[in-house]
Amino acid sequence: MPSSNYEKAMSQAKLPYTAVARTSQEMSSQHVRFAHEQHLSEAADIEESELFNMPARRTDTMEGADNDALYYAVSLGARRRTRKGRVFWVTVLSLVIVSVVGMVWLYFDGISWMQRSKKRNVILMISDGFGPASETMARNYVQQINDLPIDFKSPLDEILVGSSRTRSKSSLVTDSAAGATAFSCLIKTYNGAIAVAEDKLPCGTVLEAAKLQRGMYTGLVATSRITHATPASFSSHVTHRDMEDLIAEYQIGNYSLGPVVDLMFGGGRCHFMPNTHANVSCRMDARDLWSEAQASGFHTLSTRKQFDALDAHGAAKSLPILGAFAPSHMEYEIDRDAATQPSLAEMSAKALGILDAATKKKNAGFFLMIEGSRIDMAAHTNDPAAHLRDIIAYWDAITVVRKFVDEHPDTVLISVSDHETGGFSTAKQLTP
């Protein structure tokens, strides 16, 4: 075969021209030599189809190619197929090993690692009995007495994103028990229900889930009795809100789940005291839950002096803490004696400091519920001055918590109201 045909065949086979050389001047006995070291990687890329699936018109050209060249090309194709098979099975085996190791790690440690990597603090603030008309009144009052711009925004206005629906299943008018259960259990229930469903069976609360499933520290802060409807709906399960003696038992851990609240600040000391202490007790029996709480490990507080003495880092080592600073509800903000009772903002700040210190080196954060309780009670008694002052006190607490959130970006703040109270409305202007 002419040399030109041979070279043309090799060119069409996409072999690099520099990879072949004729070793003899005799055309009848051509030999092909491949420069292995220089062109091995290029030769390995030759596809079998390029050598054996060529058009028919080229077949006669290839017939004259030296047998050594054809054998070498076939060998390259075989080696390529072998290498592809080896790579495939190595890849499959590697994937299987990685998958098995991953599943074992996930089962034994992966879940806790993911939880640690997503450490969060959750602060739920509830302005009890507080609606849009009340916010408008308070905003206008503060703007007027402080000569602020007409477009002044309250601390709540600045974070407003929407509204919530807490409708009771038994009434068009929702009470604090049904409203708080909507938040704590994510269900609608009847008025008076404390973390129980319509069938009066208990529902798991977000506070219990935070404590028992996520290992978070938990806290309740309120200006009502700590056994009142809203804090009770996160820490107990009773069929009616007036069962505060039993609610107090739940709160110190005297039920099947054990203690789930690490910190409580508020009023309501009377439901923890035996009825043998008539001047300080409102219990129907002689159980001394205050002493029982102390015996089970609670650090108890009842005075402003004890509250002020609490150091966040030291108190974090003293959890659980029960602070009840009034026999019943704490005073309205307008009547509060700062020397005897801390404000809602002060209790919120102290609780945040303690829970933050307690979780500083932990894998989980904390859940804290803060309630501006007496906004509602002032509206019930149609006392606009007390209503206004407790709204502003709630704003002060919001400011404290927002500052904490700014300093701790792993914290979620939710502020919401459970219902409105008293049908409060702004007056109609009758004259120009």
Side-chain angles (χ1 to χ4, degrees):
M1 183 180 69
S3 175
S4 60
N5 288 342
Y6 171 81
E7 292 172 354
K8 180 179 179 181
M10 297 307 293
S11 174
Q12 290 171 340
K14 296 185 179 178
L15 289 172
Y17 185 79
T18 54
V20 297
R22 290 155 60 192
T23 59
S24 174
Q25 296 298 323
E26 297 180 5
M27 304 303 297
S28 60
S29 58
Q30 299 174 21
H31 296 281
V32 178
R33 175 170 57 86
F34 285 80
H36 291 279
E37 294 80 11
Q38 183 177 356
H39 297 286
L40 184 58
S41 61
E42 297 179 57
D45 290 333
I46 300 173
E47 293 292 339
E48 182 182 4
S49 61
E50 294 175 341
L51 289 173
F52 301 106
N53 296 326
M54 298 174 66
R57 66 177 181 272
R58 297 183 184 175
T59 304
D60 60 334
T61 305
M62 291 298 296
E63 287 176 353
D66 188 86
N67 288 336
D68 290 342
L70 287 175
Y71 174 77
Y72 193 81
V74 171
S75 297
L76 285 175
R79 277 187 289 171
R80 181 175 177 79
R81 289 194 299 274
T82 302
R83 189 173 64 178
K84 282 185 176 181
R86 186 183 301 115
V87 170
F88 172 77
W89 287 111
V90 168
T91 302
V92 170
L93 182 60
S94 299
L95 289 174
V96 170
I97 293 173
V98 169
S99 298
V100 171
V101 171
M103 287 188 290
V104 171
W105 171 80
L106 187 65
Y107 180 80
F108 288 102
D109 193 56
I111 298 298
S112 62
W113 179 87
M114 288 188 292
Q115 290 176 346
R116 290 196 298 270
S117 67
K118 296 182 179 179
K119 178 178 178 179
R120 293 288 185 272
N121 304 317
V122 179
I123 305 170
L124 174 62
M125 300 186 70
I126 301 174
S127 46
D128 199 310
F130 176 68
S134 299
E135 172 74 358
T136 299
M137 178 188 70
R139 184 194 307 114
N140 289 346
Y141 172 81
V142 170
Q143 184 262 325
Q144 289 286 335
I145 65 169
N146 293 295
D147 194 25
L148 298 173
I150 196 69
D151 59 351
F152 160 74
K153 291 183 179 181
S154 76
L156 279 180
D157 291 330
E158 293 173 349
I159 60 174
L160 178 65
V161 295
S163 59
S164 64
R165 187 182 187 194
T166 59
R167 179 171 176 175
S168 165
K169 270 204 165 184
S170 64
S171 173
L172 292 175
V173 179
T174 306
D175 80 334
S176 294
T181 300
F183 297 141
S184 67
C185 290
L186 201 64
I187 63 169
K188 302 299 192 298
T189 189
Y190 61 90
N191 278 0
I194 300 294
V196 295
E198 193 176 14
D199 58 5
K200 299 186 178 181
L201 294 177
C203 54
T205 73
V206 63
L207 183 145
E208 292 168 340
K211 181 67 175 179
L212 301 176
Q213 295 183 356
R214 294 298 297 251
M216 301 170 77
Y217 280 78
T218 59
L220 299 171
V221 174
T223 50
S224 65
R225 294 188 296 268
I226 201 67
T227 53
H228 208 243
T230 299
S233 294
F234 289 85
S235 55
S236 65
H237 305 272
V238 298
T239 56
H240 198 276
R241 60 185 293 172
D242 289 343
M243 302 168 70
E244 292 187 56
D245 288 357
L246 181 56
I247 290 168
E249 295 178 32
Y250 272 87
Q251 290 177 331
I252 65 169
N254 188 18
Y255 77 119
S256 58
L257 297 183
V260 295
V261 188
D262 296 300
L263 181 148
M264 289 177 277
F265 287 159
R269 192 166 62 250
C270 66
H271 284 288
F272 296 88
M273 306 301 291
N275 63 6
T276 53
H277 295 65
N279 58 329
V280 294
S281 176
C282 53
R283 287 190 67 83
M284 300 296 291
D285 59 31
R287 284 191 66 176
D288 186 351
L289 295 186
W290 197 257
S291 296
E292 290 183 29
Q294 292 171 337
S296 64
F298 275 87
H299 180 57
T300 57
L301 314 171
S302 59
T303 67
R304 174 71 196 238
K305 183 178 180 180
Q306 291 174 320
F307 175 83
D308 290 340
L310 276 181
D311 170 72
H313 293 281
K317 300 176 182 178
S318 301
L319 292 173
I321 296 174
L322 170 59
F325 306 108
S328 185
H329 301 307
M330 298 181 72
E331 296 291 344
Y332 287 117
E333 182 61 24
I334 198 171
D335 301 322
R336 181 177 65 88
D337 181 356
T340 60
Q341 293 184 7
S343 68
L344 181 64
E346 290 172 325
M347 291 191 293
S348 299
K350 186 78 74 172
L352 288 171
I354 293 170
L355 294 175
D356 182 49
T359 59
K360 187 70 70 177
K361 297 181 180 180
K362 302 293 184 180
N363 295 333
F366 62 81
F367 172 86
L368 175 63
M369 192 285 296
I370 300 172
E371 183 194 27
S373 318
R374 305 220 68 189
I375 298 172
D376 168 77
M377 298 175 192
H380 273 294
T381 57
N382 296 317
D383 186 342
H387 187 63
L388 171 68
R389 292 292 183 178
D390 268 78
I391 292 170
I392 296 173
Y394 184 77
W395 286 358
D396 292 340
I398 284 283
T399 300
V400 167
V401 174
R402 287 182 63 184
K403 182 176 183 295
F404 180 89
V405 172
D406 289 342
E407 296 170 352
H408 301 77
D410 55 350
T411 302
V412 176
L413 164 63
I414 304 165
S415 177
V416 70
S417 183
D418 53 356
H419 57 82
E420 190 177 22
T421 300
F424 189 85
S425 62
T426 54
K428 180 179 180 180
Q429 184 172 330
L430 299 177
T431 59

